[in-house]
Amino acid sequence: MSHGIRSGAGAAERGFSLVELMVAMAIGLVVVLAVTSLIVVSQTRERTTGGSNDMNQSSAYAATVVDQALRSAGAGFAQGWDLGALGCQPYLSYKTAAVLPRSTSLPAPFAGLLGGGTATANLRIAPVLIGQGQAAGGSDILAVMSGSAAIGDVPRRIRDFVDGSSTEARVRLDTTLALHADDVLLLSRPESEACAISQVKSNFVHSAGQDVVTLAGDYYRSTLDNSNTLQTLTGGGEAFVTGLGNGSSGNLSMQLFGAGTDRVLYRYDMLRQSGNDAAEALAEGVVAMRAIYVVDANIDTAGATPAPTWTAPTGDWAIGTLLAKSRTDRARALRQIVGVRVSLLLRSSVRQSVVAAPASYVMLQGLAGERTVNLSDADRRFAHRLIELTVPLRNALMVQPSF
Protein backbone atom coordinates (compact mmCIF):
# COMPACT_ATOMS: atom_id res chain seq x y z
CA MET A 1 0.00 0.00 0.00
CA SER A 2 2.78 2.39 0.81
CA HIS A 3 4.35 1.62 -2.57
CA GLY A 4 1.06 2.48 -4.28
CA ILE A 5 0.86 5.77 -2.40
CA ARG A 6 4.38 6.70 -3.44
CA SER A 7 3.62 5.89 -7.08
CA GLY A 8 0.51 8.09 -7.02
CA ALA A 9 2.47 10.99 -5.52
CA GLY A 10 5.15 10.66 -8.20
CA ALA A 11 2.55 10.81 -10.95
CA ALA A 12 1.06 13.98 -9.44
CA GLU A 13 4.46 15.66 -9.27
CA ARG A 14 5.28 14.83 -12.85
CA GLY A 15 3.28 18.02 -14.20
CA PHE A 16 2.38 18.81 -17.83
CA SER A 17 3.90 17.08 -20.70
CA LEU A 18 5.58 19.10 -23.48
CA VAL A 19 2.61 18.53 -25.76
CA GLU A 20 0.18 19.76 -23.12
CA LEU A 21 2.31 22.84 -22.45
CA MET A 22 2.50 23.72 -26.16
CA VAL A 23 -1.24 23.30 -26.55
CA ALA A 24 -1.85 25.55 -23.53
CA MET A 25 0.57 28.17 -24.88
CA ALA A 26 -1.12 28.08 -28.27
CA ILE A 27 -4.53 28.58 -26.71
CA GLY A 28 -3.21 31.39 -24.54
CA LEU A 29 -1.60 33.06 -27.56
CA VAL A 30 -4.84 32.94 -29.50
CA VAL A 31 -6.68 34.47 -26.55
CA VAL A 32 -4.04 37.22 -26.18
CA LEU A 33 -4.17 38.00 -29.91
CA ALA A 34 -7.96 38.15 -29.84
CA VAL A 35 -8.00 40.44 -26.82
CA THR A 36 -5.23 42.63 -28.32
CA SER A 37 -7.13 42.92 -31.61
CA LEU A 38 -10.27 43.83 -29.70
CA ILE A 39 -8.40 46.52 -27.76
CA VAL A 40 -6.78 47.92 -30.92
CA VAL A 41 -10.12 48.05 -32.75
CA SER A 42 -11.78 49.60 -29.71
CA GLN A 43 -9.08 52.27 -29.35
CA THR A 44 -9.14 53.00 -33.08
CA ARG A 45 -12.88 53.45 -32.99
CA GLU A 46 -12.55 55.57 -29.86
CA ARG A 47 -10.00 57.85 -31.57
CA THR A 48 -12.12 58.04 -34.70
CA THR A 49 -15.24 58.81 -32.69
CA GLY A 50 -13.34 61.32 -30.58
CA GLY A 51 -11.96 63.00 -33.69
CA SER A 52 -15.42 63.20 -35.23
CA ASN A 53 -16.86 64.59 -32.00
CA ASP A 54 -14.10 67.17 -31.84
CA MET A 55 -14.79 68.13 -35.46
CA ASN A 56 -18.51 68.42 -34.76
CA GLN A 57 -17.90 70.55 -31.66
CA SER A 58 -15.44 72.74 -33.55
CA SER A 59 -17.89 73.20 -36.42
CA ALA A 60 -20.73 74.03 -34.03
CA TYR A 61 -18.58 76.55 -32.16
CA ALA A 62 -17.24 78.19 -35.33
CA ALA A 63 -20.72 78.42 -36.84
CA THR A 64 -22.14 79.88 -33.62
CA VAL A 65 -19.47 82.58 -33.31
CA VAL A 66 -19.77 83.61 -36.97
CA ASP A 67 -23.58 83.51 -36.77
CA GLN A 68 -23.68 85.72 -33.67
CA ALA A 69 -21.30 88.24 -35.20
CA LEU A 70 -23.34 88.45 -38.42
CA ARG A 71 -26.67 88.81 -36.63
CA SER A 72 -25.35 91.93 -34.90
CA ALA A 73 -23.73 93.34 -38.04
CA GLY A 74 -24.59 96.96 -38.69
CA ALA A 75 -25.94 97.68 -35.22
CA GLY A 76 -25.19 101.24 -34.19
CA PHE A 77 -24.56 102.76 -37.61
CA ALA A 78 -26.77 101.15 -40.27
CA GLN A 79 -29.54 103.67 -39.59
CA GLY A 80 -27.16 106.44 -40.63
CA TRP A 81 -26.57 105.01 -44.08
CA ASP A 82 -27.59 108.29 -45.76
CA LEU A 83 -25.80 110.50 -43.21
CA GLY A 84 -22.25 109.58 -44.10
CA ALA A 85 -21.88 106.65 -41.69
CA LEU A 86 -22.23 103.70 -44.09
CA GLY A 87 -19.11 103.31 -46.19
CA CYS A 88 -17.12 106.10 -44.52
CA GLN A 89 -13.40 105.77 -43.85
CA PRO A 90 -12.99 105.53 -40.06
CA TYR A 91 -10.32 107.44 -38.18
CA LEU A 92 -9.64 105.84 -34.83
CA SER A 93 -7.00 105.94 -32.16
CA TYR A 94 -6.88 103.71 -29.12
CA LYS A 95 -4.94 104.90 -26.08
CA THR A 96 -3.19 107.54 -28.26
CA ALA A 97 -2.01 104.95 -30.82
CA ALA A 98 -3.40 105.35 -34.36
CA VAL A 99 -5.38 102.22 -35.28
CA LEU A 100 -7.47 103.12 -38.34
CA PRO A 101 -6.91 103.73 -41.21
CA ARG A 102 -4.26 101.05 -41.26
CA SER A 103 -1.24 101.70 -43.49
CA THR A 104 0.34 98.22 -43.38
CA SER A 105 -0.78 94.68 -44.13
CA LEU A 106 -2.82 92.86 -41.54
CA PRO A 107 -1.36 89.86 -39.66
CA ALA A 108 -1.69 86.34 -41.10
CA PRO A 109 -3.95 84.93 -42.39
CA PHE A 110 -5.51 88.32 -43.29
CA ALA A 111 -2.48 89.94 -44.95
CA GLY A 112 -4.08 89.70 -48.42
CA LEU A 113 -7.21 91.70 -47.56
CA LEU A 114 -7.73 94.42 -50.20
CA GLY A 115 -4.40 93.43 -51.73
CA GLY A 116 -2.41 94.08 -48.56
CA GLY A 117 0.03 96.86 -47.78
CA THR A 118 -1.22 100.44 -47.94
CA ALA A 119 -4.41 99.34 -49.74
CA THR A 120 -5.66 98.08 -46.37
CA ALA A 121 -6.29 101.74 -45.47
CA ASN A 122 -9.31 101.73 -47.80
CA LEU A 123 -11.31 99.52 -45.44
CA ARG A 124 -14.62 101.27 -44.72
CA ILE A 125 -17.45 101.12 -42.19
CA ALA A 126 -19.90 98.44 -43.33
CA PRO A 127 -22.01 95.74 -41.64
CA VAL A 128 -20.37 92.97 -43.69
CA LEU A 129 -17.67 92.82 -46.34
CA ILE A 130 -16.36 89.68 -48.06
CA GLY A 131 -12.85 89.41 -49.47
CA GLN A 132 -13.14 86.38 -51.74
CA GLY A 133 -10.04 84.17 -51.66
CA GLN A 134 -8.01 86.84 -49.85
CA ALA A 135 -7.09 84.80 -46.76
CA ALA A 136 -3.96 82.67 -46.73
CA GLY A 137 -4.67 79.40 -48.53
CA GLY A 138 -7.54 80.82 -50.59
CA SER A 139 -10.23 81.08 -47.91
CA ASP A 140 -12.60 84.05 -47.92
CA ILE A 141 -12.30 86.83 -45.36
CA LEU A 142 -15.38 88.11 -43.53
CA ALA A 143 -15.24 91.65 -42.11
CA VAL A 144 -18.08 92.18 -39.61
CA MET A 145 -18.75 95.45 -37.78
CA SER A 146 -21.31 96.38 -35.14
CA GLY A 147 -21.96 98.38 -32.00
CA SER A 148 -24.73 98.91 -29.48
CA ALA A 149 -25.28 101.85 -27.14
CA ALA A 150 -27.93 103.13 -24.75
CA ILE A 151 -28.75 106.08 -27.03
CA GLY A 152 -29.99 103.63 -29.67
CA ASP A 153 -29.22 103.34 -33.37
CA VAL A 154 -30.96 106.53 -34.51
CA PRO A 155 -28.41 109.25 -35.40
CA ARG A 156 -28.48 112.61 -33.59
CA ARG A 157 -27.55 115.90 -35.18
CA ILE A 158 -24.43 117.69 -33.95
CA ARG A 159 -25.42 121.34 -33.83
CA ASP A 160 -21.86 122.65 -33.71
CA PHE A 161 -18.29 122.23 -32.60
CA VAL A 162 -17.71 124.30 -29.43
CA ASP A 163 -13.98 124.03 -28.79
CA GLY A 164 -11.23 121.46 -28.60
CA SER A 165 -7.62 120.50 -28.10
CA SER A 166 -5.36 117.53 -28.72
CA THR A 167 -6.76 115.73 -25.67
CA GLU A 168 -10.47 116.62 -25.67
CA ALA A 169 -13.19 118.51 -27.53
CA ARG A 170 -16.70 119.74 -26.86
CA VAL A 171 -19.62 119.46 -29.27
CA ARG A 172 -23.21 120.65 -28.96
CA LEU A 173 -26.05 118.16 -29.66
CA ASP A 174 -29.81 118.57 -29.83
CA THR A 175 -29.86 116.54 -26.60
CA THR A 176 -27.43 114.52 -24.52
CA LEU A 177 -30.20 112.37 -23.05
CA ALA A 178 -29.16 108.69 -22.60
CA LEU A 179 -25.50 109.49 -23.18
CA HIS A 180 -23.19 107.99 -20.57
CA ALA A 181 -19.58 108.38 -19.55
CA ASP A 182 -17.19 106.40 -21.82
CA ASP A 183 -19.81 105.87 -24.57
CA VAL A 184 -18.11 105.23 -27.92
CA LEU A 185 -19.54 107.33 -30.76
CA LEU A 186 -19.34 107.43 -34.54
CA LEU A 187 -19.19 110.98 -35.91
CA SER A 188 -20.12 111.33 -39.58
CA ARG A 189 -21.06 113.96 -42.16
CA PRO A 190 -23.18 113.25 -45.27
CA GLU A 191 -20.78 114.86 -47.76
CA SER A 192 -17.59 113.58 -46.11
CA GLU A 193 -15.63 110.42 -46.97
CA ALA A 194 -14.05 110.50 -43.51
CA CYS A 195 -15.69 109.70 -40.18
CA ALA A 196 -14.35 109.54 -36.65
CA ILE A 197 -14.77 107.14 -33.75
CA SER A 198 -14.55 109.04 -30.50
CA GLN A 199 -15.63 108.73 -26.88
CA VAL A 200 -17.58 110.59 -24.18
CA LYS A 201 -15.36 111.83 -21.37
CA SER A 202 -15.27 109.57 -18.31
CA ASN A 203 -16.65 112.22 -15.92
CA PHE A 204 -19.72 113.05 -18.01
CA VAL A 205 -23.06 113.10 -16.19
CA HIS A 206 -26.24 114.12 -18.01
CA SER A 207 -28.38 116.83 -16.46
CA ALA A 208 -31.61 118.51 -17.53
CA GLY A 209 -31.11 121.03 -20.31
CA GLN A 210 -27.52 119.97 -20.94
CA ASP A 211 -26.65 119.96 -24.66
CA VAL A 212 -22.82 119.99 -24.67
CA VAL A 213 -20.79 116.80 -24.39
CA THR A 214 -17.05 116.52 -23.95
CA LEU A 215 -15.17 114.00 -26.07
CA ALA A 216 -12.03 112.46 -24.60
CA GLY A 217 -10.64 109.11 -23.43
CA ASP A 218 -9.10 106.02 -25.00
CA TYR A 219 -10.81 106.48 -28.39
CA TYR A 220 -10.35 110.23 -28.73
CA ARG A 221 -8.61 111.60 -31.83
CA SER A 222 -8.46 115.29 -32.75
CA THR A 223 -7.07 115.02 -36.30
CA LEU A 224 -8.29 112.87 -39.15
CA ASP A 225 -6.75 113.08 -42.62
CA ASN A 226 -4.76 115.97 -44.07
CA SER A 227 -7.87 118.05 -44.75
CA ASN A 228 -10.07 117.12 -41.78
CA THR A 229 -9.99 117.63 -38.06
CA LEU A 230 -12.66 116.86 -35.50
CA GLN A 231 -13.69 120.50 -35.81
CA THR A 232 -14.14 120.48 -39.60
CA LEU A 233 -16.02 117.19 -39.40
CA THR A 234 -18.49 118.19 -36.68
CA GLY A 235 -18.89 121.95 -37.17
CA GLY A 236 -21.63 123.77 -39.03
CA GLY A 237 -24.64 121.72 -37.98
CA GLU A 238 -24.29 119.12 -40.76
CA ALA A 239 -22.71 116.26 -38.79
CA PHE A 240 -24.35 113.39 -36.93
CA VAL A 241 -23.49 111.11 -34.03
CA THR A 242 -24.51 107.48 -33.51
CA GLY A 243 -23.75 105.23 -30.55
CA LEU A 244 -21.45 102.24 -30.94
CA GLY A 245 -21.25 101.00 -27.37
CA ASN A 246 -19.46 101.78 -24.16
CA GLY A 247 -15.74 101.61 -23.50
CA SER A 248 -16.26 99.45 -20.42
CA SER A 249 -18.75 97.01 -21.98
CA GLY A 250 -16.93 96.04 -25.16
CA ASN A 251 -20.02 96.42 -27.36
CA LEU A 252 -18.04 97.95 -30.21
CA SER A 253 -16.86 95.19 -32.54
CA MET A 254 -14.85 95.30 -35.77
CA GLN A 255 -13.74 91.76 -36.54
CA LEU A 256 -12.21 89.71 -39.35
CA PHE A 257 -12.79 85.97 -39.79
CA GLY A 258 -10.78 83.67 -42.07
CA ALA A 259 -9.14 80.23 -42.28
CA GLY A 260 -5.36 79.88 -42.36
CA THR A 261 -3.13 77.37 -44.11
CA ASP A 262 -2.90 75.41 -40.83
CA ARG A 263 -6.63 74.54 -40.95
CA VAL A 264 -7.49 76.97 -38.15
CA LEU A 265 -10.26 79.56 -38.23
CA TYR A 266 -8.88 82.88 -37.00
CA ARG A 267 -10.48 86.04 -35.69
CA TYR A 268 -8.80 89.45 -35.70
CA ASP A 269 -9.85 92.51 -33.69
CA MET A 270 -9.36 95.51 -35.98
CA LEU A 271 -9.59 97.80 -32.94
CA ARG A 272 -6.66 96.07 -31.22
CA GLN A 273 -8.27 96.68 -27.84
CA SER A 274 -6.02 94.09 -26.21
CA GLY A 275 -2.96 95.87 -27.54
CA ASN A 276 -1.98 92.75 -29.49
CA ASP A 277 -1.72 93.05 -33.27
CA ALA A 278 -2.18 89.35 -33.98
CA ALA A 279 -5.00 87.05 -35.04
CA GLU A 280 -6.69 84.85 -32.45
CA ALA A 281 -7.15 81.12 -33.11
CA LEU A 282 -10.86 80.41 -32.95
CA ALA A 283 -11.50 76.82 -34.07
CA GLU A 284 -9.33 73.96 -35.32
CA GLY A 285 -9.93 71.79 -38.36
CA VAL A 286 -11.39 74.48 -40.64
CA VAL A 287 -10.10 73.71 -44.14
CA ALA A 288 -11.89 76.51 -45.99
CA MET A 289 -14.52 79.21 -45.61
CA ARG A 290 -16.64 80.60 -48.45
CA ALA A 291 -19.23 83.37 -48.25
CA ILE A 292 -21.66 85.18 -50.54
CA TYR A 293 -24.11 88.07 -50.15
CA VAL A 294 -27.89 88.16 -50.24
CA VAL A 295 -28.57 91.35 -52.23
CA ASP A 296 -31.90 93.18 -52.43
CA ALA A 297 -31.59 95.53 -55.41
CA ASN A 298 -35.06 96.95 -54.66
CA ILE A 299 -34.73 97.48 -50.93
CA ASP A 300 -36.50 100.87 -51.15
CA THR A 301 -39.46 99.54 -53.16
CA ALA A 302 -41.92 97.26 -51.38
CA GLY A 303 -43.01 94.25 -53.41
CA ALA A 304 -40.66 95.01 -56.28
CA THR A 305 -39.05 92.27 -58.31
CA PRO A 306 -36.69 90.55 -58.52
CA ALA A 307 -36.52 89.20 -54.98
CA PRO A 308 -33.21 89.24 -53.08
CA THR A 309 -30.60 87.18 -54.92
CA TRP A 310 -27.49 85.21 -54.03
CA THR A 311 -24.57 87.33 -55.16
CA ALA A 312 -20.91 86.35 -55.23
CA PRO A 313 -18.41 88.96 -53.98
CA THR A 314 -16.94 89.35 -57.46
CA GLY A 315 -17.25 91.93 -60.25
CA ASP A 316 -19.16 94.98 -58.99
CA TRP A 317 -19.48 93.25 -55.61
CA ALA A 318 -15.78 92.47 -55.17
CA ILE A 319 -14.57 94.16 -52.00
CA GLY A 320 -12.07 96.44 -53.79
CA THR A 321 -14.56 97.50 -56.46
CA LEU A 322 -17.35 97.97 -53.93
CA LEU A 323 -15.29 100.26 -51.69
CA ALA A 324 -13.94 102.24 -54.66
CA LYS A 325 -17.44 103.40 -55.69
CA SER A 326 -18.48 107.00 -55.16
CA ARG A 327 -19.70 107.91 -51.69
CA THR A 328 -23.41 107.73 -52.57
CA ASP A 329 -23.13 104.62 -54.78
CA ARG A 330 -21.09 102.83 -52.15
CA ALA A 331 -23.61 103.57 -49.39
CA ARG A 332 -26.49 102.45 -51.62
CA ALA A 333 -24.74 99.20 -52.53
CA LEU A 334 -23.81 98.40 -48.93
CA ARG A 335 -27.39 98.99 -47.89
CA GLN A 336 -28.61 96.45 -50.44
CA ILE A 337 -26.68 93.67 -48.67
CA VAL A 338 -29.40 92.12 -46.49
CA GLY A 339 -27.94 88.72 -45.73
CA VAL A 340 -24.92 86.44 -45.92
CA ARG A 341 -24.50 82.73 -46.59
CA VAL A 342 -21.38 81.12 -45.14
CA SER A 343 -19.98 77.68 -45.97
CA LEU A 344 -17.37 75.97 -43.76
CA LEU A 345 -15.44 72.81 -44.64
CA LEU A 346 -13.90 71.05 -41.64
CA ARG A 347 -11.55 68.10 -41.24
CA SER A 348 -11.13 65.65 -38.38
CA SER A 349 -7.73 65.45 -36.68
CA VAL A 350 -7.69 61.62 -36.66
CA ARG A 351 -6.32 59.69 -39.64
CA GLN A 352 -8.30 56.58 -40.48
CA SER A 353 -7.09 53.30 -41.96
CA VAL A 354 -9.62 53.49 -44.79
CA VAL A 355 -10.79 56.24 -47.13
CA ALA A 356 -13.19 58.36 -45.07
CA ALA A 357 -14.03 61.25 -47.41
CA PRO A 358 -15.02 61.74 -51.07
CA ALA A 359 -12.57 63.12 -53.59
CA SER A 360 -14.13 66.60 -53.48
CA TYR A 361 -16.64 68.82 -51.71
CA VAL A 362 -18.75 71.52 -53.35
CA MET A 363 -19.23 74.60 -51.19
CA LEU A 364 -22.36 76.68 -51.88
CA GLN A 365 -23.46 74.13 -54.44
CA GLY A 366 -25.82 75.53 -57.05
CA LEU A 367 -25.38 79.13 -55.85
CA ALA A 368 -23.35 82.08 -57.02
CA GLY A 369 -19.81 81.73 -55.75
CA GLU A 370 -19.87 77.91 -55.83
CA ARG A 371 -16.43 76.45 -55.06
CA THR A 372 -15.12 72.89 -55.39
CA VAL A 373 -12.46 71.76 -52.92
CA ASN A 374 -10.49 68.74 -54.14
CA LEU A 375 -8.94 66.49 -51.50
CA SER A 376 -5.62 64.69 -51.84
CA ASP A 377 -5.41 60.93 -51.25
CA ALA A 378 -3.81 61.67 -47.88
CA ASP A 379 -6.60 64.07 -46.87
CA ARG A 380 -9.25 61.53 -47.81
CA ARG A 381 -8.06 59.40 -44.89
CA PHE A 382 -9.58 62.03 -42.60
CA ALA A 383 -13.31 62.53 -42.07
CA HIS A 384 -14.64 65.87 -43.36
CA ARG A 385 -17.82 67.82 -42.75
CA LEU A 386 -19.45 70.62 -44.73
CA ILE A 387 -21.79 73.02 -42.92
CA GLU A 388 -23.58 76.10 -44.25
CA LEU A 389 -25.62 78.83 -42.62
CA THR A 390 -27.67 81.72 -43.94
CA VAL A 391 -27.89 84.80 -41.73
CA PRO A 392 -30.23 87.75 -42.41
CA LEU A 393 -28.75 91.14 -41.53
CA ARG A 394 -31.63 92.43 -39.43
CA ASN A 395 -30.06 95.85 -38.91
CA ALA A 396 -29.90 96.36 -42.69
CA LEU A 397 -33.46 95.13 -43.16
CA MET A 398 -34.83 97.66 -40.65
CA VAL A 399 -33.09 100.67 -42.19
CA GLN A 400 -35.21 103.61 -43.31
CA PRO A 401 -34.08 107.00 -44.65
CA SER A 402 -33.03 109.09 -41.65
CA PHE A 403 -33.81 112.67 -42.72
Side-chain angles (χ1 to χ4, degrees), residues 70-395:
L70 289 172
R71 288 186 185 278
S72 298
F77 59 86
Q79 296 291 336
W81 69 274
D82 55 343
L83 303 176
L86 196 60
C88 67
Q89 186 174 39
Y91 284 81
L92 163 69
S93 291
Y94 186 68
K95 294 183 177 180
T96 71
V99 175
L100 296 173
R102 188 184 178 102
S103 59
T104 59
S105 296
L106 292 157
F110 304 106
L113 183 65
L114 287 168
T118 57
T120 308
N122 196 40
L123 192 63
R124 304 297 182 106
I125 294 290
V128 178
L129 292 169
I130 303 172
Q132 188 177 89
Q134 294 187 354
S139 171
D140 289 357
I141 294 177
L142 271 176
V144 186
M145 307 177 195
S146 65
S148 177
I151 65 172
D153 292 352
V154 179
R156 299 184 182 187
R157 187 181 295 276
I158 300 175
R159 291 166 55 191
D160 207 354
F161 179 88
V162 179
D163 56 44
S165 67
S166 61
T167 57
E168 64 179 47
R170 297 194 304 157
V171 295
R172 179 171 285 107
L173 310 180
D174 287 334
T175 176
T176 60
L177 184 65
L179 277 177
H180 296 85
D182 295 324
D183 274 356
V184 181
L185 308 173
L186 177 66
L187 313 175
S188 65
R189 196 180 187 98
E191 74 276 11
S192 175
E193 288 281 358
C195 55
I197 295 176
S198 194
Q199 189 170 22
V200 177
K201 194 172 182 178
S202 60
N203 64 354
F204 173 82
V205 178
H206 171 74
S207 60
Q210 183 181 12
D211 61 358
V212 174
V213 61
T214 301
L215 304 177
D218 290 342
Y219 290 94
Y220 180 76
R221 179 170 177 163
S222 60
T223 59
L224 308 185
D225 55 24
N226 293 332
S227 59
N228 283 287
T229 64
L230 203 59
Q231 179 175 359
T232 58
L233 179 68
T234 60
E238 298 298 325
F240 293 84
V241 58
T242 52
L244 294 180
N246 191 275
S248 61
S249 66
N251 291 340
L252 175 58
S253 174
M254 299 178 71
Q255 303 179 88
L256 299 177
F257 296 91
T261 55
D262 53 356
R263 292 186 294 275
V264 172
L265 182 67
Y266 287 93
R267 173 172 55 189
Y268 176 71
D269 175 18
M270 288 184 281
L271 302 176
R272 288 183 275 174
Q273 297 176 84
S274 66
N276 185 20
D277 189 26
E280 169 195 3
L282 190 64
E284 295 182 336
V286 180
V287 176
M289 182 175 74
R290 192 77 161 178
I292 57 175
Y293 297 121
V294 181
V295 173
D296 185 357
N298 298 289
I299 193 168
D300 291 319
T301 308
T305 57
T309 57
W310 303 109
T311 304
T314 57
D316 286 343
W317 294 95
I319 185 170
T321 304
L322 186 60
L323 296 182
K325 292 178 181 289
S326 68
R327 179 178 51 81
T328 54
D329 288 345
R330 179 173 58 243
R332 186 181 301 111
L334 290 174
R335 190 188 169 211
Q336 291 174 351
I337 299 173
V338 296
V340 180
R341 186 172 180 89
V342 181
S343 179
L344 294 166
L345 178 62
L346 293 99
R347 195 195 83 165
S348 169
S349 60
V350 178
R351 186 182 186 278
Q352 300 187 25
S353 58
V354 297
V355 173
S360 63
Y361 283 88
V362 181
M363 307 177 74
L364 303 172
Q365 187 170 11
L367 302 177
E370 177 183 297
R371 177 189 177 189
T372 300
V373 178
N374 296 312
L375 303 183
S376 65
D377 290 340
D379 282 335
R380 294 184 66 192
R381 295 282 181 171
F382 297 84
H384 285 67
R385 183 184 182 189
L386 183 65
I387 62 171
E388 297 188 354
L389 58 150
T390 301
V391 184
L393 304 183
R394 58 186 180 186
N395 293 294

